[in-house]
Amino acid sequence: MKKLFFFLAALLGSAVLFAQEVATEATPDNKPAEQKMDYDRSSLAMTMIYHSEDEFGAAIDSAYHAMPFPDKYDNHDIGLERIDNSLFTGVQKGKKPGLIKAQYGKKLNPNDVQKNAEAVEALINNARVANYMIAKWFGMLEGQGACKMDLVFERGQWNATEFDVALANQTALGVNNTLNDAGMQLIGNSYLLVNDMTYATAEERAAVAKGVLSLLGGVFDAVMGTDIGSSVAAVGSAIADGFTGFAVKNHSYLFRLNWDEELFNIFINEYWKEESDSTRQASLEKFLKDERFTMKYVAHEYECSEKTVAKGVKVDREKLIKMVCTRSIDKNIAALQLQYEDFKVKTPVYEQVFDAKGKSLGYAVKIGLKEGITEKSSFQVVRKEIDPTTNKVKYRYVATLKPVKGKIWDNRFMAAEDDDNKDKAAAALSYTLMKKAAGGEILPGMLVIEGKYSKVQE
């Protein structure tokens, strides 16, 4: 694959770092069978705030870039690897760079969260992240400005189960036009998740609880964003050598691509270039500087995840940090789905489950603890319909599902390997079993959405 040295790097220098090679999207052929059923998936790009000023900043960075991508979203990676915290100016009081950090044991107040979100939004829009999101959709980055609809059509086709195809076939426009139109609608469901992760070690937390601040004050200040003492390096090394735990504070900021008919027409009329068009490279450069395309801040979530082991027990620190970081992001994504409904995961009913005598036990759904499911969770089952007049997607209510006690899948990262996980049986499951609480006939391929979704019609 040809490497692309993004113009953003030149625009912001070392501020926002992009990978030099654009990741290739997975195709339906190399996805597991159950993944082919996934549809109405939002497209997600993720990045992190890199805290070079923190003792464990590099460790978090390494763990973050080794963790798996959330499998309920289409990976819309544009090569945005990290944003250095030092780039944010004017957020904190005085001239100190960086986003606002919470003091140990406290959360950021809503005003500080808003300040951080506005600062991140300003930086990513100045970096023209929205333009890269759109260019990714139309293959411009791989084709040096040449436009194509392959990814749009591909994701539109992914969204088609046999149930969908049969339904689409009833429309005047036919199957392909309907599904391709659905693919176009997916562009508006493109998101960027910015994770601002900082840490506190178990030693620090214990020291604070005991009031032994005289010994660890320098490290405490460094971690929590206060004044850095002269003994930070020496004490920090001692802390690292005696590492017995790790707690990650993760503030996740969710941004959505601004995309409507007007912006689509601007793109088509001004920037659409075929493979043979000699002006395509110049057009790409111009497009990547167009300020009319933007990302919008829509939601924030905070999670503090931790993992502690007894002193003297040998641990794989890298694996431990990776587990905590991954779970903190998963928890934030699950919470963001409930907070911002257009970000909700719509998961298909995988299959109906029967016992040995042919009695129905319920329905298998491929979500679990990672998505925040509890015994109190409630899900709508909906049928996807195409309006024959507008050719737009509608959702019709079919039934209500509730998780079966003791049958909630523990699909959290490394759940089966976690020695502290007391329910190994849940980690051995491959789906969550749900029973119908109300409604009509449920068929495999129908969508499952947690809670209430305003776009569902009775």
Side-chain angles (χ1 to χ4, degrees):
M1 179 183 293
K2 294 181 179 179
K3 293 188 175 182
L4 176 67
F5 293 87
F6 292 141
F7 299 101
L8 180 59
L11 178 63
L12 292 180
S14 61
V16 182
L17 302 182
F18 277 82
Q20 293 179 357
E21 185 169 327
V22 180
T24 302
E25 286 293 328
T27 63
D29 291 338
N30 61 30
K31 281 181 169 288
E34 62 267 27
Q35 286 300 318
K36 291 184 181 180
M37 293 184 65
D38 287 355
Y39 58 113
D40 273 18
R41 295 152 61 99
S42 294
S43 294
L44 180 66
M46 296 205 309
T47 191
M48 63 169 287
I49 306 298
Y50 177 54
H51 289 270
S52 57
E53 75 278 10
D54 284 353
E55 178 81 16
F56 289 111
I60 290 179
D61 179 79
S62 177
Y64 174 84
H65 287 100
M67 66 179 62
F69 185 84
D71 57 7
K72 295 299 184 290
Y73 297 89
D74 282 325
N75 189 344
H76 204 71
D77 176 32
I78 56 172
L80 179 58
E81 294 190 335
R82 63 185 64 81
I83 303 173
D84 198 291
N85 187 50
S86 65
L87 286 193
F88 298 101
T89 57
V91 186
Q92 300 191 63
K93 293 180 179 179
K95 297 183 178 180
K96 189 173 183 180
L99 297 176
I100 301 170
K101 288 184 180 180
Q103 291 288 327
Y104 180 77
K106 297 180 181 180
K107 296 181 180 179
L108 289 177
N109 62 51
N111 186 52
D112 288 341
V113 168
Q114 186 64 32
K115 286 183 179 179
N116 282 349
E118 290 174 356
V120 176
E121 181 181 274
L123 187 142
I124 64 176
N125 280 333
N126 186 48
R128 310 268 53 90
V129 166
N131 305 55
Y132 283 91
M133 298 281 280
I134 297 166
K136 169 83 171 185
W137 271 109
F138 294 105
M140 299 171 74
L141 302 179
E142 295 89 343
Q144 295 183 316
C147 298
K148 55 186 178 179
M149 294 287 287
D150 293 17
L151 183 58
V152 175
F153 289 168
E154 182 180 293
R155 291 185 181 172
Q157 295 292 340
W158 275 357
N159 291 350
T161 62
E162 292 180 3
F163 172 79
D164 271 315
V165 171
L167 190 62
N169 207 17
Q170 299 173 15
T171 70
L173 294 179
V175 177
N176 289 333
N177 284 347
T178 299
L179 296 178
N180 291 343
D181 182 69
M184 285 299 300
Q185 292 181 46
L186 292 177
I187 297 177
N189 286 328
S190 299
Y191 295 89
L192 173 69
L193 186 67
V194 179
N195 296 288
D196 183 17
M197 293 184 285
T198 54
Y199 67 89
T201 63
E203 287 85 356
E204 289 172 288
R205 300 169 70 230
V208 172
K210 295 176 182 179
V212 192
L213 296 178
S214 58
L215 176 62
L216 300 181
V219 175
F220 179 83
D221 287 343
V223 172
M224 300 310 159
T226 56
D227 294 333
I228 301 177
S230 58
S231 61
V232 166
V235 179
S237 297
I239 290 290
D241 291 340
F243 184 91
T244 60
F246 198 87
V248 169
K249 301 182 298 177
N250 184 20
H251 288 272
S252 294
Y253 300 89
L254 184 66
F255 300 85
R256 184 174 186 171
L257 174 67
N258 283 321
W259 186 251
D260 54 26
E261 187 174 351
E262 180 181 356
L263 290 170
F264 174 67
N265 287 332
I266 290 173
F267 176 82
I268 293 298
N269 293 330
E270 298 183 24
Y271 297 110
W272 184 271
K273 300 294 179 182
E274 300 292 346
E275 183 69 37
S276 59
D277 194 322
S278 61
T279 66
R280 64 183 187 276
Q281 180 65 43
S283 178
L284 173 62
E285 294 183 27
K286 182 181 178 182
F287 171 65
L288 293 177
K289 298 176 183 178
D290 193 325
E291 298 181 359
R292 291 173 291 183
F293 300 92
T294 59
M295 305 293 295
K296 179 182 179 182
Y297 167 64
V298 293
H300 160 270
E301 191 56 52
Y302 169 77
E303 169 63 29
C304 183
S305 296
E306 61 184 292
K307 177 74 174 176
T308 305
V309 296
K311 200 178 245 324
V313 175
K314 186 177 181 179
V315 296
D316 184 331
R317 194 169 104 188
E318 184 176 339
K319 179 184 278 189
L320 190 66
I321 295 172
K322 183 179 177 181
M323 176 192 292
V324 177
C325 289
T326 302
R327 290 187 178 181
S328 74
I329 291 176
D330 286 341
K331 287 180 180 180
N332 278 5
I333 288 177
L336 286 167
Q337 290 170 16
L338 296 178
Q339 182 187 155
Y340 187 69
E341 70 167 17
D342 282 341
F343 191 58
K344 283 187 175 184
V345 168
K346 305 176 187 71
T347 305
V349 175
Y350 184 62
E351 64 182 0
Q352 189 170 6
V353 181
F354 300 90
D355 65 14
K357 296 182 179 180
K359 180 183 177 181
S360 177
L361 299 176
Y363 300 88
V365 183
K366 296 268 183 177
I367 49 178
L369 295 183
K370 184 175 75 172
E371 289 77 26
I373 294 180
T374 70
E375 292 177 13
K376 296 181 180 180
S377 299
S378 179
F379 297 82
Q380 290 179 312
V381 180
V382 302
R383 182 176 68 250
K384 186 177 174 184
E385 298 179 350
I386 307 296
D387 187 317
T389 303
T390 64
N391 198 37
K392 300 299 182 183
V393 174
K394 297 192 301 184
Y395 301 100
R396 186 75 63 183
Y397 171 82
V398 174
T400 299
L401 287 176
K402 299 279 290 185
V404 175
K405 184 178 181 180
K407 296 297 182 180
I408 298 176
W409 180 25
D410 188 351
N411 58 338
R412 295 175 300 168
F413 182 65
M414 292 177 60
E417 303 173 43
D418 188 354
D419 293 334
D420 290 342
N421 188 356
K422 298 178 181 179
D423 193 354
K424 297 292 186 180
L429 297 172
S430 60
Y431 56 79
T432 292
L433 184 65
M434 298 190 185
K435 275 202 167 184
K436 184 168 67 174
E441 182 183 12
I442 300 173
L443 299 175
M446 288 183 175
L447 292 177
V448 176
I449 307 175
E450 185 171 5
K452 293 291 184 181
Y453 186 47
S454 65
K455 295 181 180 180
V456 173
Q457 302 174 10
E458 294 294 334

